[in-house]
Amino acid sequence: MPDVLIGGLAGQGPKGHITLAGALANRHGLVAGATGTGKTVTLQVLAEEFSRMGVPVFTADVKGDLSGIAAAGAPHPRVDERLASLGINDWQPQAAPVRLWDLFGKSGHAVRASVASMGPELMSTLLELNDTQSGLMHLAFDHAEREGLELIDLKDLISLLKHIEREREGFEERYGSVSPQSLGAMLRRVHVLATQGGERFFAEPALDINDMLATTGEGDQTRGFINLLDGRELMQSPRLYTTFLLWFLSTLFRTLPERGDADRPVLVFFFDEAHLLFDAAPKALLERLEQTVRLIRSKGVGVYFVTQSPADIPDDVLGQLGNRIQHALRAFTPRDQKAVKTAAETFRPNPALDTAQVITELGVGEALVSVLDSKGTPTQVERTLIAPPRGRIGPLSDSERTALLASSSLAGRYDEVIDRESAHERLEAQLTSSATAQVRPKETPAATPDTTPPDTERDGRAQAAASRDSEQTSPVAESAPRTGGRQRQGVMETLLKSVMRAVGSQLGRTLIRSLLRSFTRR
C-alpha cells in the first residue's frame, strides 16, 4: 500500500517516520499555521508525494511561490541536516510534472466552463437566489433545453431571462406565475457576477475535466500532474474563485463513478488560503461546498484545506478532516490564545505532549501531525519535522513559466475564446425578425392589366384632351363661380363644347387659306 511521507520525529531515523496511508488520503485533511511557519512548503511536500504515488493534484498558487515545484531543488546544508535527522536516504532533487492554469488566461492555460454545465441549482446558489428566483432559474434552464438554446456564457443567460420577461404571458400558461420583479433581480445579480470576472470564466472552450486528472509515465514511473491555478489576480475576485472551486468539485462529483475503498485517491484537491474563501463566500455557497466535501470522498477525491487557523474552517467542514498538520500559532492576544486552545483540542491527545504549549513553540518546518491509521482512527499527535521538498522552494521565473507553457501537451488548446452561435444570437435574431415584421409597410396590390381596345383608348385620350382645353380656354369655365361647391358639367355639355371648338378651329383654318389665296392672285 503506497504511503505519503510527511516527515518524522527528530533523531529517530526511519522508525520515526510519519506517513499518510494512500488508502485514507480521501478522508480529507487540514494544514494550518500562522504566516511564515512553513505551510506552503508542507503543501509542496504533500503535492510532490501524491504525484510520485501517481495521483494528480490540484491547488491554487495564491502567492505564486509554489510554481518552483516544476523545477528541481538544489542541495543545501540545512536540507542535508534535515535528511540526516529523519533518516531519509533516497532523497534527490527532482522536478514534478506541472501544468499551469489561469482563469484569466494570462499566465497559464485558460480555465472556462459553460453556464449549462453549472446547472440551475448551482447557478442559483452562486447568485444567492431565493426560492422564487431559484424556481425561475429552473424554468429558464428547462425552456433552453426544450428549445435547443445553448447556454454557454453569461450573455446567453441574460438574453434568456429577458426573453422570458418579454414573453411572460406565454410562459405563465405553461409554468404558472412569472414575477417580473424576480426576473429583474436575477438579471441584476447576473450582471454583478459578470463584472466580478464571470464573463471570463463562462465561455468556450470549456475545461475538459480529464485534463486535470492526467498522469505521465508508466508503471512504477507513473506520476500525477500537479495542476497549479495562478491565484495572484484571482484572489481579488473571491466570488469567481469560489465559483470555480465549487464547479470543479461538483463536476468531479457528477462525473466520477463510485470507487469504494482503493489504495490511492483519484485526485487530491488543496484549498490554499482557505480563510479567504470562507470569509468572502456567501452562506448559500458555503453550505453547498460543505455538502460536496462530505459526499465527494466516495468518488476517490481528497480535499485538503490550507489556512491560518482551524477556526477559519466551518465546524461542519472541520469535522470531516481526518488528517491534521498544525504549524505554529501565535498567542499574543486573548483571541489568539483561544484559537490555540481550539486547535489543540482538535487533536487526539498525546500524554507526552502539552499540545497547547507546543503549538506556540514550534519552529519553521515543524508541525503537530495526526493522521488516520489503518482502522480510520486518528493517531496521537506528534511533534514532527517536515521532510524537505524535492523541487525548488520559490517561484519560477517568467522565462521558465513561458517555457513550461510552450512545452505543455495542452499548448494552444484553451488559448482562444470561441464565441459561436448560442442562445444569445438566436434570441436576438428572433427579436430582430419580429421587429422588422411589425414595421414593414403593406404591399400595394398589382395593377390590373389594361385591356382597352386601341381605338377606344384613342377616343378616350381625345375626349380627355378636349376637356382640358375647354377648361383652359372657355370663357364660361374661367368665369364660373367657385363658391358653393365644385361646378359639375354634364357629359353632353362637355361633348358639345368639344365639337364646337373643333368645328370652329376647322372653319378658321379654311377662312385663312382663302384670304391668303386671294392676296396671292392680286
Side-chain angles (χ1 to χ4, degrees):
M1 180 181 296
D3 291 333
V4 171
L5 176 62
I6 299 175
L9 306 181
Q12 295 192 18
K15 67 178 182 179
H17 285 180
I18 304 296
T19 60
L20 168 61
L24 299 171
N26 64 336
R27 269 40 172 203
H28 311 320
L30 171 70
V31 179
T35 301
T37 57
K39 297 191 305 295
T40 300
V41 174
T42 299
L43 190 163
Q44 181 172 342
V45 170
L46 294 175
E48 288 178 353
E49 287 293 304
F50 281 120
S51 175
R52 285 164 53 83
M53 189 189 293
V55 176
V57 173
F58 171 86
T59 181
D61 187 8
V62 175
K63 299 183 290 292
D65 55 357
L66 192 58
S67 59
I69 199 172
H76 192 279
R78 293 179 62 183
V79 172
D80 294 339
E81 180 183 350
R82 180 65 57 92
L83 293 172
S85 177
L86 297 178
I88 299 176
N89 301 318
D90 63 345
W91 187 95
Q92 59 181 356
Q94 187 178 46
V98 171
R99 281 177 172 171
L100 302 176
W101 301 89
D102 182 8
L103 261 63
F104 304 108
K106 298 177 180 178
S107 57
H109 305 300
V111 179
R112 306 184 187 91
S114 67
V115 171
S117 70
M118 187 69 64
E121 184 177 354
L122 187 54
M123 183 62 73
S124 298
T125 303
L126 173 64
L127 297 175
E128 298 182 84
L129 304 183
N130 59 31
D131 291 343
T132 301
Q133 295 163 351
S134 179
L136 288 178
M137 185 63 72
H138 280 79
L139 179 159
F141 273 72
D142 179 70
H143 177 72
E145 184 176 358
R146 287 173 178 268
E147 298 298 322
L149 300 172
E150 288 192 89
L151 299 177
I152 296 174
D153 49 29
L154 289 183
K155 70 175 183 292
D156 289 329
L157 182 57
I158 291 172
S159 294
L160 179 60
L161 294 176
K162 289 182 177 180
H163 171 70
I164 294 173
E165 190 175 37
R166 290 191 302 268
E167 306 294 334
R168 186 163 56 88
E169 293 183 0
F171 281 93
E172 287 181 338
E173 293 180 1
R174 171 178 292 181
Y175 297 100
S177 177
V178 176
S179 169
Q181 291 80 10
S182 294
L183 287 171
M186 293 167 68
L187 282 167
R188 289 191 293 272
R189 290 180 182 271
V190 174
H191 281 294
V192 170
L193 178 60
T195 60
Q196 293 182 346
E199 61 183 2
R200 299 176 181 175
F201 175 62
F202 293 105
E204 283 191 330
L207 172 68
D208 182 351
I209 207 72
N210 291 313
D211 289 336
M212 290 281 191
L213 302 176
T215 60
T216 182
E218 297 180 355
D220 294 339
Q221 299 302 314
T222 300
R223 299 289 183 266
F225 274 102
I226 298 176
N227 300 278
L228 296 182
L229 179 68
D230 192 340
R232 292 171 293 180
E233 184 177 351
L234 183 59
M235 289 300 102
Q236 306 303 317
S237 304
R239 177 162 295 190
L240 179 60
Y241 179 45
T242 307
T243 299
F244 166 73
L245 295 179
L246 190 51
W247 168 83
F248 188 36
L249 285 178
S250 298
T251 303
L252 289 171
F253 181 76
R254 186 176 63 251
T255 57
L256 292 177
E258 293 286 337
R259 285 176 52 86
D261 294 329
D263 64 346
R264 70 196 72 198
V266 174
L267 175 76
V268 172
F269 194 106
F270 288 95
F271 280 86
D272 195 10
E273 301 293 345
H275 61 282
L276 299 177
L277 170 67
F278 290 110
D279 288 345
K283 182 179 179 181
L285 206 56
L286 291 179
E287 291 175 351
R288 181 62 183 270
L289 178 61
E290 293 164 9
Q291 180 186 24
T292 304
V293 169
R294 286 196 302 270
L295 298 176
I296 203 169
R297 178 189 66 79
S298 63
K299 305 285 187 172
V301 177
V303 180
Y304 289 71
F305 295 91
V306 183
T307 187
Q308 294 184 0
S309 170
D312 297 330
I313 310 296
D315 290 341
D316 289 343
V317 175
L318 192 62
Q320 305 294 320
L321 311 182
N323 303 295
R324 307 286 184 90
I325 301 175
Q326 177 67 62
H327 287 270
L329 290 175
R330 310 307 178 200
F332 300 123
T333 67
R335 182 178 180 182
D336 293 338
Q337 293 170 0
K338 183 179 179 180
V340 169
K341 183 179 179 181
T342 300
E345 292 175 348
T346 62
F347 288 103
R348 179 182 171 183
N350 184 342
L353 291 176
D354 182 349
T355 307
Q357 180 66 30
V358 171
I359 288 178
T360 63
E361 298 174 349
L362 293 169
V364 176
E366 282 188 292
L368 290 173
V369 178
S370 174
V371 296
L372 298 178
D373 61 21
S374 58
K375 297 181 180 180
T377 304
T379 60
Q380 290 184 352
V381 62
E382 297 285 358
R383 183 170 183 167
T384 306
L385 292 175
I386 302 299
R390 300 170 188 267
R392 181 196 301 172
I393 298 176
L396 293 176
S397 65
D398 291 341
S399 59
E400 288 174 323
R401 183 182 289 271
T402 301
L404 181 59
L405 280 172
S407 63
S408 171
S409 60
L410 301 180
R413 182 178 301 182
Y414 297 104
D415 291 353
E416 299 296 330
V417 175
I418 300 174
D419 189 11
R420 61 186 176 87
E421 183 181 79
S422 51
H424 171 72
E425 287 77 15
R426 290 187 56 185
L427 291 173
E428 287 294 310
Q430 291 179 14
L431 186 62
T432 302
S433 177
S434 176
T436 302
Q438 292 178 5
V439 302
R440 182 181 298 156
K442 295 182 179 179
E443 295 182 0
T444 304
T448 304
D450 191 354
T451 56
T452 306
D455 292 342
T456 305
E457 182 179 357
R458 283 195 298 270
D459 291 343
R461 291 196 189 115
Q463 180 177 343
S467 177
R468 286 194 300 271
D469 292 341
S470 172
E471 290 176 1
Q472 293 173 0
T473 60
S474 170
V476 177
E478 292 175 357
S479 62
R482 297 183 179 274
T483 61
R486 180 180 177 183
Q487 184 180 9
R488 299 181 179 273
Q489 294 181 341
V491 175
M492 294 303 296
E493 181 181 357
T494 302
L495 181 61
L496 179 60
K497 288 180 180 180
S498 177
V499 171
M500 292 177 64
R501 185 170 61 253
V503 170
S505 299
Q506 181 67 30
L507 181 61
R509 287 195 294 271
T510 303
L511 290 174
I512 291 172
R513 286 197 295 270
S514 299
L515 288 173
L516 289 174
R517 281 197 299 269
S518 64
F519 282 115
T520 302
R521 289 171 183 171
R522 292 180 184 178

